[in-house]
């Protein structure tokens, strides 16, 4: 029904745009035809390519709108803190920006949506100003918030906001005053910026909702970090996760080995940002500036990670793809072949194509590394004719432009 609208807000900058796109894509994958979803993306500086990609996610019942709020942030001087950026503070302005709604759902960019957020949107707030999920409390956080005068803490990465009460009680203004004051201190007191301010100002005005709607993944890697009395509740929440929050400085794009990071990468592979995210983060980000990646690109989307690959072609493209893979350590190159192998001088051993037939069990895929689709197609037909299974043969357009 068109009158059943779920308004959702993200805030983003250029650095986080790829990760927010992944979150939004996962949200869209779990929407229902029974609702209309209005997604507002707030920014003050966002490249045109990000805006165009985000708008391309529009569907029949999903509208994505990118809104520049530079004017609204004018005069609000708040500096970044730790791994947090000032964009998180945009949520404090929501009641003024969206007066047409009685409630709104705010979601952080570093999330993965695994259920229909309309279910969360209709949650009763029981007269409270916001609905939020309890912070997964470590001993360190417990002491930290105790020193701020807060005992029942919530994570502000997912908020269901009663807009009228938020305005009436001047929550945003009170929080901004605290943040500006703290930002001017030589040693800042509010390490988690607007989350701390919201916890201080709201206190008894929070309706605590189920943790499955803001499950904080970082503690799955080390449950001992949690307060003993919280561990069972946390583990119970892990059984039915509806919204996964990659909270803290430990992000799945930087630590793919972490628990539940695989869910992020599975979704990332479906987006136009996949290679960019790989470049930025794996091996300390060194790929982003590497000359090897300027003209040609390893076909990450064609091969599963850790595949055993026979590389066909030892020319420019084959050499570049092999060097790229060596940096990334994405796949295992078990064999390198070229029909002109006798005339090619390289440190690595290069063999004739007949080795592909002699060692078929040694590789999962044959990657044809040639910069001409027509030639790739003819090589594929030749290999199939000699007995290499077609499902094992992979090739792509390798030029980045």
């Amino acid at each position: 029904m068109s009158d059943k609208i779920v308004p959702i807000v993200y805030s983003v900058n250029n650095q986080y745009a790829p990760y927010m796109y992944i979150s939004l894509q996962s949200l869209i994958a779990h929407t229902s035809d029974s609702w209309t979803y209005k997604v507002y993306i707030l920014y003050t500086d966002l490249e045109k390519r990000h805006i165009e990609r985000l708008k391309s996610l529009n569907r029949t019942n999903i509208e994505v709108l990118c809104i520049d709020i530079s004017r609204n942030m004018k005069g609000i001087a708040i500096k970044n803190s730790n791994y947090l950026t000032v964009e998180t503070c945009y949520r404090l302005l929501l009641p003024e920006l969206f007066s047409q709604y009685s409630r709104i759902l705010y979601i952080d960019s570093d999330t993965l949506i695994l259920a229909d957020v309309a279910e969360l949107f209709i949650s009763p707030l029981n007269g409270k100003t916001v609905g939020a999920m309890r912070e997964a409390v470590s001993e360190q956080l417990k002491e930290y918030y105790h020193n701020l005068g807060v005992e029942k803490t919530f994570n502000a990465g997912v908020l269901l906001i009663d807009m009228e009460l938020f305005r009436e009680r001047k929550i945003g203004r009170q929080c901004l005053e605290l943040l500006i004051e703290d930002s001017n201190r030589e040693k800042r007191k509010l390490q988690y910026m607007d989350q701390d301010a919201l916890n201080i100002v709201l206190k008894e005005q929070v309706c605590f909702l189920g943790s499955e709607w803001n499950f904080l993944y970082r503690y799955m890697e080390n449950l001992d970090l949690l307060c003993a009395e919280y561990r069972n509740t946390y583990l119970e929440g892990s059984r039915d996760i509806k919204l996964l929050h990659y909270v803290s400085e430990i992000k799945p794009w930087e630590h793919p080995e972490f628990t539940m990071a695989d869910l992020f990468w599975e979704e990332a592979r479906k987006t136009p940002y996949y290679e960019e995210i790989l470049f930025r983060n794996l091996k300390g980000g060194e790929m982003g500036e590497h000359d090897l990646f300027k003209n040609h690109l390893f076909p990450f989307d064609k091969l599963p990670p850790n595949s055993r690959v026979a590389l066909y072609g030892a020319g420019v493209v084959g050499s570049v793809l092999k060097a790229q893979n060596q940096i990334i350590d994405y796949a295992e190159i078990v064999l390198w072949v070229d029909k002109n192998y006798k005339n090619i001088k390289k440190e690595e051993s290069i063999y004739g194509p007949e080795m592909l037939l002699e060692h078929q069990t040694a590789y999962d895929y044959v990657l044809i590394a040639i910069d001409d689709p027509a030639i790739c197609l003819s090589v594929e037909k030749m290999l199939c004719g000699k007995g290499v299974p077609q499902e094992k043969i992979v090739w792509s357009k390798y030029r980045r432009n």
Side-chain angles (χ1 to χ4, degrees), residues 139-151 153 189-191 200 203:
E139 291 292 347
Q140 181 183 1
L141 273 178
K142 186 176 182 180
E143 181 181 356
Y144 171 76
Y145 277 112
H146 175 76
N147 292 334
L148 292 180
V150 179
E151 300 303 328
T153 58
K189 185 179 177 183
L190 306 181
Q191 294 180 25
I200 291 168
K203 284 194 178 176

Side-chain angles (χ1 to χ4, degrees), residues 9 11 88-89 91-92 94 105-111 130-136 145 153-161 175 192-199 202 206 208 213-214 216 245 247:
V9 174
S11 56
T88 64
C89 298
R91 56 191 156 197
L92 301 177
L94 298 186
L105 181 60
Y106 171 86
I107 302 176
D108 265 356
S109 297
D110 55 347
T111 54
V130 301
M133 280 50 75
R134 289 190 184 277
E135 180 64 80
Y145 277 112
T153 58
F154 62 88
N155 180 279
V158 180
L159 293 175
L160 181 58
I161 303 172
C175 289
Y192 303 101
M193 294 175 65
D194 55 321
Q195 172 167 300
D196 290 348
L198 284 163
N199 268 278
L202 285 166
V206 181
F208 286 99
W213 281 110
N214 188 2
L216 311 179
H245 190 178
V247 70

Side-chain angles (χ1 to χ4, degrees), residues 295-322:
N295 297 317
H296 299 90
L297 184 63
F298 192 89
F300 303 106
D301 58 330
K302 301 285 185 180
L303 298 166
N306 303 313
S307 303
R308 298 174 304 158
V309 175
L311 187 63
Y312 185 107
V316 172
V317 176
S319 300
V320 167
L321 298 190
K322 190 172 190 303

Side-chain angles (χ1 to χ4, degrees), residues 68-110:
D68 186 346
I69 62 165
S70 300
R71 286 186 177 183
N72 305 85
M73 288 298 292
K74 193 173 182 180
I76 300 176
I78 302 171
K79 303 168 191 171
N80 294 342
S81 173
N82 297 331
Y83 58 88
L84 299 172
T85 64
V86 72
E87 281 74 24
T88 64
C89 298
Y90 296 171
R91 56 191 156 197
L92 301 177
L93 305 176
L94 298 186
E96 282 67 43
L97 292 170
F98 302 103
S99 59
Q100 69 270 41
Y101 299 119
S102 60
R103 62 165 56 185
I104 208 163
L105 181 60
Y106 171 86
I107 302 176
D108 265 356
S109 297
D110 55 347

Side-chain angles (χ1 to χ4, degrees), residues 178-339:
L178 282 176
L179 287 168
I180 292 169
E181 178 187 352
D182 188 65
S183 186
N184 291 325
R185 287 193 180 102
E186 186 175 339
K187 186 176 181 180
R188 296 175 74 162
K189 185 179 177 183
L190 306 181
Q191 294 180 25
Y192 303 101
M193 294 175 65
D194 55 321
Q195 172 167 300
D196 290 348
L198 284 163
N199 268 278
I200 291 168
V201 172
L202 285 166
K203 284 194 178 176
E204 302 303 321
Q205 301 176 51
V206 181
C207 177
F208 286 99
L209 306 174
S211 63
E212 69 273 12
W213 281 110
N214 188 2
F215 187 80
L216 311 179
Y217 94 121
R218 68 164 299 190
Y219 298 103
M220 289 299 290
E221 196 70 20
N222 189 354
L223 288 172
D224 291 338
L225 290 174
L226 287 171
C227 296
E229 65 268 25
Y230 191 85
R231 285 176 203 158
N232 287 339
T233 304
Y234 181 78
L235 285 172
E236 285 173 13
S238 70
R239 294 172 189 158
D240 183 28
I241 301 172
K242 295 181 177 178
L243 190 152
L244 185 57
H245 190 178
Y246 294 108
V247 70
S248 86
E249 71 281 6
I250 302 170
K251 302 300 185 187
W253 47 88
E254 295 174 348
H255 296 275
E257 75 281 4
F258 262 54
T259 304
M260 299 187 192
D262 60 315
L263 298 176
F264 167 85
W265 285 103
E266 183 179 340
E267 192 68 31
R269 288 189 194 102
K270 304 172 189 174
T271 76
Y273 287 106
Y274 182 50
E275 292 86 357
E276 182 176 337
I277 293 170
L278 283 170
F279 293 163
R280 284 185 181 188
N281 298 287
L282 298 187
K283 297 292 182 183
E286 66 192 50
M287 293 180 293
E289 302 300 325
H290 205 294
D291 285 346
L292 282 169
F293 292 86
K294 287 185 176 177
N295 297 317
H296 299 90
L297 184 63
F298 192 89
F300 303 106
D301 58 330
K302 301 285 185 180
L303 298 166
N306 303 313
S307 303
R308 298 174 304 158
V309 175
L311 187 63
Y312 185 107
V316 172
V317 176
S319 300
V320 167
L321 298 190
K322 190 172 190 303
Q324 287 180 355
N325 183 70
Q326 193 169 358
I327 292 173
I328 301 165
D329 196 22
Y330 182 80
E332 182 186 1
I333 307 295
V334 297
L335 185 62
W336 199 2
V337 303
D338 192 291
K339 68 177 183 179

Side-chain angles (χ1 to χ4, degrees), residues 23-32 62 113 115-116 267 270:
S23 176
L24 179 52
Q25 179 176 269
S26 67
L27 183 152
I28 291 170
H30 293 89
T31 52
S32 164
I62 299 159
I113 318 299
D116 186 358
E267 192 68 31
K270 304 172 189 174

